Amino acid sequence: MRGSRRSGLHKPITAIFTKAVMPEEVRPGNVTMPSGDVVAEVQPKVSVKAHDRPKARSRQRQPKRPAERPVRPQVQLPLLGPLEDEARPSGLGRAIRAFVDWVRGRQG
Amino acid sequence: MEGIWVGLVVKTLAIANQKGGCGKTTTAVNLAACLAAAGDRVLLVDIDPQSHATLALGWEPSELDRSMHDVLVKADASIRQVIRPYEQIKGLDVAAGSLLLSAADLDLNAVAGKESMLARHLKQLQDQYDLCIIDCPAYLSLMLVNGLVASDYLIVPVQTHFCALYGLKRILETVQVLRRRLDSCRVRVIGMVLTFVEEKVALSRQVQQQLRDFFGELVFQNTIHRNIRLAEAPSAGQPIITFDPKDRAAVQFNALAVELKARIHRLVGEGV
């Protein structure tokens, strides 16, 4: 949710009334009423023209981007082979076991 | 102001906006009081089930034996039977409302010409009043339709807040649809009254300015500011001009009444 601290109207009145169905004595000279069936006119869709929209502030905040972190070298772990005699351990257990085997292999 | 109605037939004025709480009843009661105090014969007709116009002038709607509901629903009832004089202002009469009006849509469902019931009753009073002011309900209902069909002119009170603009849009749409669909509907929008105006509030200033820019002279020059005395007056059963004649709101409503009369006079002169 984005709030606003700007006071006042956030939608211009022209956006509400420009395409509204209105009696002729109310309609300003430069506003034309939508044509078609009366019932359809009762709830016209209102589109906000670009020049009617609230203007963006000149000083807009830029979203902060996190500083790029240095990339650490990744250690490649050997894949775990199928177990035969033992019960199949959990994922963490398999990873630990694979790591231990890999260390032993380097020592051996 | 005296004499401005000379030669004119009685005019009927609806006060409506399809948003609640925007000052319809306050505008109806106080305009009626100001015009009557200035020498006109004014009938205030309360067709809002809330009946706050009746309440604001000192009557308890639930304690009245007859109301506009009887007039509209009972075939043998006459509007003359429910008209009561407001003792404090000579020339001001009230046709009281009732909570029962909320059931009028159902009561009149099968009645032919149900949208013109009020208009037919008001025709009986042509020679008795200079102006009839109708306080309409906020929601789209048979009572609102009756109020608009019975009226020559419509005033839309507009609170200077965002949501009130949509109430204004809705009532303008309703007027246009009724005029196209009902030959008997000839109501014309005579103007918008800005209410709850607060000059120190940006939103209020912007709504006011943008409405004037968009609708031009249709927006009355005289506005009604947010005012606690206006809210207190109904508790005393009085309009602001008797409750506190020197208050700013009394001055504003008097000025609005003068502007309204001038506007009606101009339109009648133009044959509208």
Side-chain angles (χ1 to χ4, degrees), chain B residues 100-111:
Chain B
L100 293 172
L101 285 164
S102 57
D105 283 39
L106 293 172
D107 295 332
L108 296 171
N109 187 36
V111 176

Side-chain angles (χ1 to χ4, degrees), chain B residues 3-272:
Chain B
I4 202 166
W5 302 106
V6 173
L8 305 182
V9 294
V10 62
K11 290 293 175 188
T12 308
L13 184 72
I15 313 283
N17 184 333
Q18 282 178 251
K19 180 193 177 296
C22 59
K24 292 183 295 299
T25 300
T26 303
T27 304
V29 167
N30 287 290
L31 270 182
C34 289
L35 290 164
D40 296 312
R41 300 169 301 168
V42 182
L43 174 64
L44 176 62
V45 183
D46 189 357
I47 56 167
D48 186 349
Q50 289 185 329
S51 311
H52 285 174
T54 307
L55 195 64
L57 291 177
W59 286 282
E60 174 56 55
S62 62
E63 293 174 1
L64 300 177
D65 55 346
R66 280 190 297 263
S67 72
M68 283 305 296
H69 177 260
D70 299 286
V71 174
L72 296 171
V73 171
K74 295 178 182 172
D76 58 343
S78 164
I79 192 168
R80 294 179 197 277
Q81 296 172 332
V82 302
I83 292 176
R84 293 170 168 82
Y86 182 69
E87 301 292 347
Q88 294 193 46
I89 299 176
K90 189 185 173 189
L92 175 59
D93 289 351
V94 179
S98 161
L99 182 61
L100 293 172
L101 285 164
S102 57
D105 283 39
L106 293 172
D107 295 332
L108 296 171
N109 187 36
V111 176
K114 58 190 173 188
E115 69 282 346
S116 307
M117 302 288 285
L118 179 60
R120 284 200 291 275
H121 282 284
L122 291 181
K123 267 190 178 177
Q124 300 171 18
L125 306 172
Q126 281 288 346
D127 56 342
Q128 270 185 260
Y129 296 98
D130 298 309
L131 191 68
C132 287
I133 295 180
I134 304 173
D135 185 26
C136 297
Y139 60 97
L140 184 54
S141 60
L142 188 56
M143 286 301 98
L144 176 58
V145 171
N146 262 272
L148 294 173
V149 169
S151 296
D152 300 294
Y153 303 119
L154 167 66
I155 284 183
V156 189
V158 183
Q159 187 182 12
T160 49
H161 289 178
F162 178 72
C163 290
L165 302 173
Y166 277 83
L168 169 62
K169 183 185 172 194
R170 294 279 173 268
I171 193 71
L172 296 179
E173 289 167 352
T174 301
V175 167
Q176 178 67 2
V177 170
L178 287 179
R179 286 204 319 212
R180 285 196 184 182
R181 294 205 167 178
L182 298 174
D183 291 338
S184 55
C185 185
R186 55 196 162 80
V187 65
R188 179 189 171 92
V189 181
I190 196 170
M192 300 118 189
V193 177
L194 301 178
T195 58
F196 294 92
V197 170
E198 293 174 276
E199 298 294 355
K200 290 181 180 176
V201 175
L203 177 68
S204 182
R205 286 197 310 271
Q206 289 173 359
V207 168
Q208 188 175 175
Q209 187 56 52
Q210 291 192 28
L211 277 173
R212 291 192 189 284
D213 290 345
F214 194 84
F215 291 109
E217 291 182 353
L218 266 176
V219 181
F220 283 95
Q221 282 301 313
N222 290 285
T223 59
I224 308 300
H225 283 64
R226 178 180 287 279
N227 185 314
I228 193 61
R229 297 295 276 165
L230 266 181
E232 290 170 355
S235 66
Q238 294 181 44
I240 191 70
I241 56 163
T242 58
F243 180 68
D244 192 348
K246 292 182 180 175
D247 188 77
R248 184 189 193 188
V251 174
Q252 290 177 338
F253 268 110
N254 269 320
L256 181 64
V258 172
E259 189 180 0
L260 170 65
K261 283 180 78 167
R263 196 171 284 200
I264 292 177
H265 197 59
R266 180 168 53 81
L267 287 174
V268 171
E270 293 169 359
V272 180

Side-chain angles (χ1 to χ4, degrees), chain A residues 53-67:
Chain A
R53 290 183 191 136
K55 289 175 183 171
R57 286 184 173 184
S58 55
R59 288 174 55 199
Q60 275 198 325
R61 287 182 181 174
Q62 295 293 329
K64 288 180 181 177
R65 289 183 181 177

